[in-house]
Amino acid sequence: MKTAIFACRMLEQELCSILQTSGDSYVLKWFEKGLHNSPERLHNALQQELDNLDSDISRVILTYGYCGGCISGLHSKAQIIIPRVDDCLTLLLGSHARRLEFSEHGSGAYFLTDAWIDSDRSIAVEYDYTIKKYGPEMGKEIFSMMFRNYSLVALLDTGLSPLAAAEQKSREIADALGLRMEIVPATLDYLRALISGPWPRERFVVLEPGQSLTPAQAGTMMNSERSEI
Amino acid sequence: MSDTRQLAAAMRELDESTVLELTKSMIESGHDAFEIQSLLNEGIKDVGKRFESGEYFLADLIVSGIIYQNAMELFHHCQRLDNAPVRGKVVIGVVENDIHDIGKNIICEVLRAEGFEVIDLGVDVKPKGFVQAVQQHHPDVLALSGVMGFALDSMLATISELEKLGLRDGLSIIIGGSCITSGDPALIRADKMAIDPLETIAFCKAVTEKRNE
Ligand code: B12
């Protein structure tokens, strides 16, 4: 029996580097980055592929966490493995606890990775649209409202590609938004463990064939101590 | 198109001056808040759909929130002039680790427009922050808002803290925002889950009416 990976393009670089060195073979299915702006469409896209799974696939690994609730209700004839994370940012930071450290200073961090910077809805693209549509004065005001609760732009460094270009772009974004910029070390360990298994309860949800998460279970699965699943 | 249909359409098109004009004329001709909010909500839901389909951008979401708030302020203004009594008190905030506040701000304005006194604690409010506010303000309703995945967990932590300190009894708690999709409020021990602003108002009104009985 085979294992499939349902992967988000946001994690393409990271996942490919892991798969290159892994001896196992997987059926790999990519999902576009833009889907995450609509948790409902993302859910539907994932469910559709789960419904069309080849019969020799007995396990599906999702590189998605809660991601706006997209995982709630997903079900399959195969086993489904889900990391106990909010989203890809926690996955790359390595743990839920580490993610929370960034909001403990009282104001938030806006995270960037290579893939977030290059997405066709990157914050830089959003910024240009805003200035064009609403003019520089109103546009800047809109952005300062959008980011009024932030103090930091955090560029995740996975060590996979040279930082120079991303750093330059992050700095431009931070300057435009009036925020600090920091480079934050990231890790591939969580993603690697997700691909290779085993899947201990502290870090992963394992759904047996036919089983699914209720919305409330999906919303509380990040914290394994409190989660009922 | 009738005024009422035009209001939803103007909201969808982010046409602020038309939204404000129509809201004003509808208030003047005796339409109630519920009716006007329903139309604005319809418009704002369409804005969300256009964002999800890629037609609108983040800025448009923010702008829709601003227009909504400005329309609600018109109401607030009229009611203040009427010297309407305060209907009840609501403490609201975005829960710990979440700083998305567009939706919360809309809820604040909707409640104010309905004559509630709203104490807005802002974003990333720790359980302790909610506890202090409950002790200080004795609200009728505590409203917890969140969109991030871990918001539900923060809500649970907040409610547990209130329970531990014996502050839960007699306090009505509503949780909302898109961190919930549906499901069982009992799981996090709130009294009500909602996404729709109108449901939020209906709940807060029911709570205060019951108290006044
Ligand atoms: C706008 C937005 C932002 C803006 C926020 C601006 C602001 N000042 O709020 C910006 C760009 C700054 C932002 C940042 C981030 N975001 Co964001 N964001 C969104 C987006 C596109 C829309 C949310 C929104 O405002 N909708 C419009 C309002 C009107 O809707 P609403 O909040 O649901 O509110 C309505 C109801 O829910 C209800 N309601 C709201 N509160 C309450 C309370 C009660 C009591 C009740 C009854 C009802 C109620 O009434 C409102 C009116 O109808 C969503 C995606 C989406 N489509 O939902 C992602 C989304 C929420 N963000 C997401 C992410 C990942 C982030 C970042 C971590 C990204 C990053 N690279 O760092 C940071 C967050 C940092 C942090 N610590 O919080 C993810 C969350 C995934 C997850 N973990 O669950 C989402 C789902 C997108 C995605 N799939 O990737 N974001």
Side-chain angles (χ1 to χ4, degrees), chain A residues 35-39 42 66-69 85-87 89 99 103 108-112 116 123 145-150, chain B residues 41 44-45 48 51-52 58 61-62 64-65 68 92-93 97-107 142-150 174-179 193-197 199-200:
Chain A
L35 282 170
H36 81 164
N37 273 329
S38 168
L42 177 54
Y66 177 80
C67 296
V85 296
D86 270 65
D87 48 43
L89 303 165
R99 171 73 174 269
S103 44
Y110 190 82
F111 294 102
L112 292 174
W116 278 79
I123 208 70
M145 286 188 78
M146 207 185 299
F147 283 91
R148 72 187 138 204
N149 304 316
Y150 293 77
Chain B
N41 290 340
I44 214 157
K45 266 189 211 145
F51 172 78
E52 297 199 341
L58 283 172
L61 279 181
I62 302 274
S64 72
Y68 199 111
I92 189 169
N97 297 320
D98 195 341
I99 48 188
H100 291 82
D101 63 358
I102 306 177
K104 185 266 296 165
N105 293 342
I106 290 178
I107 298 286
L142 175 66
L144 306 177
S145 172
V147 305
M148 299 288 289
F150 41 58
I174 181 168
I175 60 170
S178 48
C179 71
M193 280 190 180
I195 291 188
D196 190 336
E199 262 187 71
T200 314

Side-chain angles (χ1 to χ4, degrees), chain A residues 41 86 103 121 126 129 134, chain B residues 52 54 58 60 97 150 153:
Chain A
R41 275 200 298 146
D86 270 65
S103 44
R121 272 306 178 85
E126 291 278 356
Y129 167 94
Y134 294 99
Chain B
E52 297 199 341
L58 283 172
D60 301 315
N97 297 320
F150 41 58
D153 196 49

Side-chain angles (χ1 to χ4, degrees), chain B residues 18-118:
Chain B
T18 307
V19 168
L20 296 183
E21 223 168 85
L22 290 172
T23 303
K24 213 161 158 203
S25 79
M26 283 180 74
I27 297 175
E28 279 160 8
S29 60
H31 291 271
D32 63 10
F34 183 84
E35 219 176 326
I36 298 178
Q37 280 163 11
S38 307
L39 292 162
L40 291 173
N41 290 340
E42 197 183 312
I44 214 157
K45 266 189 211 145
D46 288 339
V47 171
K49 277 188 209 144
R50 286 192 180 183
F51 172 78
E52 297 199 341
S53 76
E55 187 182 337
Y56 276 167
F57 285 62
L58 283 172
D60 301 315
L61 279 181
I62 302 274
V63 167
S64 72
I66 298 172
I67 298 177
Y68 199 111
Q69 289 182 49
N70 289 344
M72 286 298 110
E73 260 167 36
L74 284 179
F75 257 104
H76 192 40
H77 201 67
C78 297
Q79 279 187 342
R80 278 289 104 96
L81 294 179
D82 286 353
N83 274 327
V86 173
R87 214 190 264 274
K89 212 190 263 182
V90 181
V91 164
I92 189 169
V94 175
V95 296
E96 183 168 24
N97 297 320
D98 195 341
I99 48 188
H100 291 82
D101 63 358
I102 306 177
K104 185 266 296 165
N105 293 342
I106 290 178
I107 298 286
C108 286
E109 285 313 321
V110 167
L111 285 168
R112 287 191 179 118
E114 287 286 347
F116 284 92
E117 180 187 349
V118 178

Side-chain angles (χ1 to χ4, degrees), chain B residues 153-165:
Chain B
D153 196 49
S154 302
M155 289 173 178
L156 190 60
T158 304
I159 296 176
S160 301
E161 194 65 23
L162 289 163
E163 285 171 345
K164 225 172 31 202
L165 295 170

